[in-house]
Amino acid sequence: DDDDVPFASKYKTLGAWMDALPLDERMPEIVQVCYGGMFAASLSNILRREMSVWQTIEKRLTRGRRIEERYYAELSWANLLATRLRPYQSEALIHKADGVYVDESSPMHGALTKTPKMYIHIGAQHTNSAEALTEALVMDVEALQRDGYSIAVHGKGNLGYDFPNVDRLASCMWNNIEKTLFPKQYKEATVCPKTLLDEFSQYM
């Protein structure tokens, strides 16, 4: 029963898995990956690889059903079958990224990342949407901060994440056409307080 086969592969990293394939080239500094079991490839890119590459992968995958090699294979398809990134594309990705995702237990380990600056949700006060999201933000604040988010939620000052006018940010983002759609009794809500953006920048 191949259920008794150890999950861990003898290849400790995706790079080691790729380096052991009979390829004509080494892995580039940045490789493309696809997550999930569905992808498309051109016939020319499939034929670009020697048959020995596919035979080697097939043999590795026969070791068992629940094996780490399956995940290495999944992450290899794009690198093996996609049209290679051009140097200027790789340079642009490196330039735009500001970090690398590090979590050896995750298939995302090694992915280039772009740290988010802030997350804004505009919801009406006392609605389920706004209140539920506020609770979720505070509940998951540690995970959000690990991912680079700064937190600002209305009415949670006792927890240290309060920015009282966060609900007014929408008025600073709507254009004039959108503002004309508001009923007269809500016109005041369409005015962006003059100091709001500076205050918010300092808070963040």
Side-chain angles (χ1 to χ4, degrees), residues 30 89-101 110-117:
I30 295 179
Q89 294 173 313
S90 296
E91 290 171 7
L93 287 169
I94 293 173
H95 176 72
K96 289 293 183 181
D98 58 11
V100 176
Y101 186 81
L112 291 178
T113 60
K114 178 68 175 177
T115 304
K117 300 305 179 185

Side-chain angles (χ1 to χ4, degrees), residues 123-194:
Q125 190 175 15
H126 302 308
T127 64
N128 288 338
S129 170
E131 292 176 5
L133 183 71
T134 295
E135 293 301 324
L137 283 172
V138 173
M139 184 184 306
D140 299 327
V141 65
E142 291 184 1
L144 289 165
Q145 289 175 334
R146 281 198 304 271
D147 285 340
Y149 284 94
S150 294
I151 309 300
V153 293
H154 184 67
K156 295 291 179 181
N158 60 323
L159 296 174
Y161 311 115
D162 184 45
F163 181 74
N165 286 324
V166 71
D167 294 340
R168 297 298 303 275
L169 281 172
S171 63
C172 302
M173 299 188 295
W174 293 320
N175 60 43
N176 290 334
I177 295 177
E178 290 172 319
K179 291 181 179 182
T180 62
L181 302 177
F182 279 73
K184 287 185 178 181
Q185 63 267 34
Y186 296 125
K187 287 298 182 183
E188 191 273 336
T190 68
V191 178
C192 176
K194 291 182 179 180

Side-chain angles (χ1 to χ4, degrees), residues 39-94:
F39 58 90
S42 66
L43 178 61
S44 60
N45 279 357
I46 294 173
L47 297 177
R48 180 167 58 91
R49 299 297 181 188
E50 297 290 338
M51 181 59 69
S52 59
V53 173
W54 309 121
Q55 291 171 335
T56 300
I57 294 176
E58 181 182 26
K59 183 177 179 180
R60 290 178 183 178
L61 295 176
T62 61
R63 185 172 72 83
R65 287 187 299 169
R66 298 181 180 88
I67 56 174
E68 193 170 17
E69 285 88 341
R70 291 179 58 188
Y71 297 95
Y72 287 148
E74 177 185 335
L75 297 176
S76 299
W77 300 139
N79 190 44
L80 292 170
L81 296 169
T83 300
R84 281 298 177 92
L85 294 174
R86 297 184 178 182
Y88 75 88
Q89 294 173 313
S90 296
E91 290 171 7
L93 287 169
I94 293 173

